[in-house]
Amino acid sequence: PNGSGSEPASGDSRRSQARFNVEVRNIATQALVQSLYLSEEAPTGIINGSGGKQVWAIGSHTVWRLMPVPIQQQVEEVLSAGQYDEAISLVAQSDSILESEKQDLTIKIRWLRARWLFRDQAKYEEALNEFTDLDATPTEAIALCPERIAGDLAEDDESNVGSFSDSGDGDDNGDNATDAPVAEDAGADETLPSAAISPKKRSKPKQVIWKEALYALMRYLTEHRRVLQRAITENRREQEYVVRVLFQDDEDQNDDENKAYNEKVGRSRSSTVDDDSLPHVRLKRLAFSLERMGIPVAAMAQVVDTTLLKVYLECSPGLLGPLLRVKNYCDVEQSEGLLLEHKRYSELVDLYHGKGLYRNALQLLQSQGKSSEGGLLRGSYPVVRYLLRLPAEQFELVLEYVKWPIQVGMEREKSLTENDGESGSDSSTDSEDWPTPSSIVSMVFADDRPAAELFPRLRVATFLHQMSSRLAI
């Protein structure tokens, strides 16, 4: 027992009686778990019975019996204070549940702790490593990010926006960012009060914290991409993950789940309430289950690659090319919109080519070639260069899109002839962007690459003769 006295706030000259408490501490860590106010009567002793399962506090006129609550409720209380390691310690010491239940409960706490580390503590690497150790599906980590990264996976709860949610690219959103920590939630109807970001992290600018999150996520997704590539190489259709399944958010379902938990520890809600009955526990933060299930490899690869593309756009644009020039599972519609939004046209061409959308790539190259703001894609040469990448079975597409470079080349030759003698009418750089008709024919049709050798010679000659008799080969 721990007694402490205090003076009343009023002007009453009478001394207030001492207030006496019983402190409940974790045996292993000695951390204060609970402080119970008894009364103004001083306890004279504490008696333990049944190995500490029955505790009495004895006073001059009163005897208090201290009853332990179910371990799930103890964990809920500790989690509400953000003390995840303490919760794990309590579960390890509990002898009211089976070992298998201890393991399941411990894993759920570790799962919540990983989310807390990412969202509230800005310890991204540690959080993602924990998710990896738990065999969590990558969507669990992705969902913790803002919507521009997580997309449809982003969690709906506006309180779960994270310390970096509004930092963005540092231009428009930085001023609106908030340092306030985020309430952790397992999908139930109550949020956890959470600890603030450490002073070391809090002192960093918002963009720095956001970049740290992005780089950590980039490394995590890159490593998981290797796992999926290995599964694809081994012709595995599914990859096993641990998936968080939320309980239904209606009261009846919660009652059923809580009844199940109480029955597991040997107490039924239907039993008569007596000294040995346990109070009903309404689970909040633990209102979910973790289930191991097989997820289609192709579906998960699409999520990982598309998210990786979004991360690259924000922090490492130079890595977009290496991702899109090899076999990838990026969602075409999402990726197309993002690349267009960021004006990453060369990378979009690589995306189209990898997905076999050759016409889309040529349409983009032609539109950029005609544009004065085409940049590196300005001119007809990018179109010609792309035609060289097409396989022989795309012969009809080659004929369709080689027309524009040849026509532009003939018009430029005519213009140069008419303006012969004028200074500055052409430059070597400009000529490289707009190759001559003869050089185009030589590159596309007379090259020694396998595709050109398979083109039907008669069809090629007829086509070129229709364009200009000087071009027939």
Side-chain angles (χ1 to χ4, degrees):
N2 179 25
S4 62
S6 62
E7 294 296 331
S10 67
D12 195 335
S13 59
R14 294 175 300 172
R15 295 182 57 192
S16 68
Q17 292 180 321
R19 296 167 60 89
F20 294 94
N21 304 306
V22 171
E23 291 184 350
V24 181
R25 292 184 177 270
N26 186 321
I27 296 175
T29 65
Q30 292 300 303
L32 179 63
V33 175
Q34 190 176 16
S35 183
L36 300 173
Y37 167 66
L38 297 182
S39 73
E40 295 175 347
E41 178 183 352
T44 59
I46 294 288
I47 298 178
N48 290 327
S50 301
K53 296 179 182 178
Q54 299 180 17
V55 180
W56 290 269
I58 303 174
S60 301
H61 305 287
T62 310
V63 175
W64 296 271
R65 180 182 178 184
L66 309 183
M67 298 176 59
V69 298
I71 184 61
Q72 288 84 5
Q73 185 171 344
Q74 295 181 41
V75 170
E76 287 278 341
E77 292 293 335
V78 174
L79 290 179
S80 68
Q83 299 179 12
Y84 294 88
D85 292 333
E86 190 71 19
I88 292 175
S89 176
L90 285 175
V91 173
Q93 296 172 64
S94 174
D95 57 3
S96 63
I97 56 177
L98 300 175
E99 286 298 321
S100 59
E101 294 175 306
K102 280 187 181 182
Q103 183 179 3
D104 291 343
L105 192 52
T106 299
I107 291 175
K108 290 172 74 171
I109 297 170
R110 289 176 60 194
W111 194 283
L112 292 175
R113 180 177 179 273
R115 291 168 54 84
W116 172 72
L117 287 171
F118 194 97
R119 302 303 294 268
D120 299 349
Q121 301 299 300
K123 296 181 178 179
Y124 308 113
E125 290 284 0
E126 185 177 350
L128 295 173
N129 288 339
E130 184 73 292
F131 278 133
T132 300
D133 292 342
L134 292 170
D135 286 335
T137 170
T139 55
E140 183 71 23
I142 295 170
L144 299 176
C145 296
E147 187 176 358
R148 63 180 179 275
I149 296 295
D152 294 338
L153 295 173
E155 297 180 348
D156 295 332
D157 187 355
E158 291 185 0
S159 66
N160 284 341
V161 293
S163 60
F164 47 73
S165 64
D166 290 324
S167 58
D169 55 12
D171 296 332
D172 301 325
N173 300 325
D175 295 338
N176 299 323
T178 175
D179 280 327
V182 179
E184 176 60 72
D185 190 3
D189 57 356
E190 179 179 320
T191 56
L192 284 171
S194 56
I197 294 176
S198 63
K200 179 179 178 182
K201 290 287 184 182
R202 187 178 287 280
S203 64
K204 294 182 179 181
K206 274 294 185 271
Q207 293 127 294
V208 174
I209 295 178
W210 174 231
K211 291 298 183 184
E212 288 179 1
L214 284 175
Y215 283 119
L217 185 63
M218 180 174 67
R219 288 187 288 269
Y220 170 77
L221 293 175
T222 301
E223 181 59 34
H224 200 81
R225 193 170 189 269
R226 297 191 185 99
V227 173
L228 293 172
Q229 290 290 347
R230 187 160 53 249
I232 293 170
T233 302
E234 296 172 359
N235 294 320
R236 281 188 276 134
R237 298 176 62 89
E238 293 185 342
Q239 177 74 15
E240 281 200 349
Y241 294 100
V242 174
V243 180
R244 180 171 58 116
V245 180
L246 302 179
F247 295 156
Q248 295 180 13
D249 197 24
D250 61 68
E251 193 168 310
D252 292 339
Q253 177 66 23
N254 285 336
D255 284 344
D256 291 343
E257 295 297 342
N258 289 316
K259 179 180 178 181
Y261 267 90
N262 288 335
E263 288 176 347
K264 283 183 179 180
V265 296
R267 298 292 188 270
S268 172
R269 290 189 61 204
S270 61
S271 63
T272 303
V273 177
D274 55 30
D275 288 347
D276 294 326
S277 66
L278 295 176
H280 170 56
V281 180
R282 182 173 295 282
L283 300 179
K284 302 290 186 181
R285 297 155 190 86
L286 296 173
F288 67 96
S289 63
L290 296 176
E291 302 178 8
R292 182 170 290 277
M293 60 180 65
I295 305 294
V297 172
M300 186 56 66
Q302 184 180 79
V303 172
V304 169
D305 282 5
T306 304
T307 305
L308 198 54
L309 180 140
K310 296 176 183 178
V311 173
Y312 285 163
L313 279 170
E314 292 222 15
C315 67
S316 297
L319 294 177
L320 287 168
L323 171 66
L324 297 174
R325 283 193 289 269
V326 299
K327 183 176 178 58
N328 64 81
Y329 292 85
C330 292
D331 180 81
V332 175
E333 185 176 353
Q334 285 191 59
S335 303
E336 179 184 48
L338 289 166
L339 292 170
L340 285 172
E341 179 184 347
H342 289 79
K343 298 182 179 181
R344 308 295 302 194
Y345 301 118
S346 295
E347 289 81 1
L348 182 53
V349 170
D350 291 330
L351 172 70
Y352 285 147
H353 188 79
K355 302 297 182 180
L357 302 173
Y358 308 125
R359 181 177 296 277
N360 297 53
L362 286 165
Q363 287 175 347
L364 176 63
L365 288 170
Q366 185 167 305
S367 65
Q368 289 299 305
K370 295 177 179 179
S371 173
S372 59
E373 299 179 355
L376 295 176
L377 299 182
R378 181 176 178 273
S380 60
Y381 182 67
V383 174
V384 175
R385 185 173 55 192
Y386 185 78
L387 291 173
L388 303 181
R389 300 170 61 183
L390 297 182
E393 54 268 24
Q394 297 298 322
F395 175 67
E396 298 296 336
L397 195 63
V398 171
L399 295 184
E400 180 181 348
Y401 278 90
V402 78
K403 289 180 181 179
W404 176 69
I406 292 177
Q407 289 172 345
V408 171
M410 291 190 296
E411 291 172 2
R412 286 175 60 82
E413 281 187 340
K414 181 179 179 181
S415 177
L416 289 174
T417 301
E418 293 174 353
N419 297 316
D420 190 23
E422 294 186 10
S423 60
S425 61
D426 193 13
S427 66
S428 58
T429 303
D430 200 36
S431 297
E432 292 177 358
D433 295 336
W434 304 92
T436 63
S438 58
S439 63
I440 294 172
V441 171
S442 176
M443 285 187 287
V444 176
F445 298 110
D447 191 63
D448 59 357
R449 69 187 192 283
E453 294 178 354
L454 293 176
F455 289 160
R457 297 289 93 188
L458 182 59
R459 285 284 309 280
V460 171
T462 303
F463 169 80
L464 294 177
H465 183 75
Q466 291 172 348
M467 294 291 296
S468 173
S469 59
R470 294 186 296 108
L471 297 177
I473 56 175

